[in-house]
Amino acid sequence: YNSTTGPSGSWIAVGAMTSARGAHTATLLNKGVNRGKVLVCGGQSSANPTAGGITNTCELFTPGADTFALTTSMNSIRMGHTAIGITNGKVFVSGGKQWNAGAWVYLPTNELYDSNTGVWTPVSPLVDGRVDHTATVLNNGNIVIAGGYNAFNRLDLDTELPDSVPP
């Protein structure tokens, strides 16, 4: 989106992602060697979740060059997860779901991406696996997880504070 083209802005075409996907995340990297790039992760890449349609792959979008390039994959395949850049320049990814043995599994897993090294590190899990939730970085650097859905309950009032994410 180009907001400099007037009050209504305009959309411009850029290079194609390495794989089409939906229900993924796109997170602006705010520090380090990849500062200004966008980390695109996970999602569903085909209409059939049982045929490998949900992915753990990630790619970096480089604005200006308008290109995508593969980077290190997450530890878990997931879609419907949330991702947020945190103050140390890393990206926190939380929850989501995957298809396993004929049923949706709502993931309690969280992981942290270091954009300088490309390394994914598992961190403390959620109490309740969930999709369509939010992650917010608080002023003290902690992260609060709020809302979502897990096939059994709407988690509107349930919040969590993962305890092993370094601020």
Side-chain angles (χ1 to χ4, degrees):
Y1 181 77
N2 184 350
S3 62
T4 64
T5 60
S8 61
S10 64
W11 291 96
I12 56 173
V14 298
M17 289 190 280
T18 59
S19 77
R21 58 182 82 213
H24 57 282
T25 55
T27 309
L28 179 64
L29 301 176
N30 59 14
K31 289 188 179 171
V33 297
N34 288 307
R35 182 176 187 223
K37 294 183 179 180
V38 178
L39 179 68
V40 177
C41 286
Q44 189 167 343
S45 57
S46 78
N48 186 353
T50 63
I54 301 171
T55 185
N56 64 340
T57 62
C58 297
E59 47 195 296
L60 289 170
F61 173 70
T62 303
D66 296 340
T67 58
F68 289 88
L70 284 174
T71 188
T72 315
S73 295
M74 295 181 291
N75 293 307
S76 298
I77 63 170
R78 59 180 81 220
M79 64 178 284
H81 54 289
T82 193
I84 189 167
I86 58 178
T87 54
N88 60 10
K90 296 181 179 181
V91 175
F92 175 77
V93 172
S94 175
K97 67 181 179 179
Q98 59 184 230
W99 188 259
N100 189 351
W104 288 111
V105 176
Y106 291 80
L107 302 173
T109 57
N110 296 318
E111 38 191 311
L112 202 58
Y113 177 73
D114 185 325
S115 64
N116 288 321
T117 64
V119 172
W120 285 96
T121 304
V123 293
S124 63
L126 299 169
V127 173
D128 293 308
R130 57 184 74 197
V131 297
D132 302 331
H133 53 293
T134 63
T136 304
V137 178
L138 303 175
N139 288 337
N140 65 4
N142 289 339
I143 298 169
V144 64
I145 305 294
Y149 176 75
N150 67 3
F152 304 106
N153 299 299
R154 289 181 57 202
L155 301 169
D156 293 341
L157 301 177
D158 293 353
T159 59
E160 298 188 42
L161 291 164
D163 61 3
S164 69
V165 179

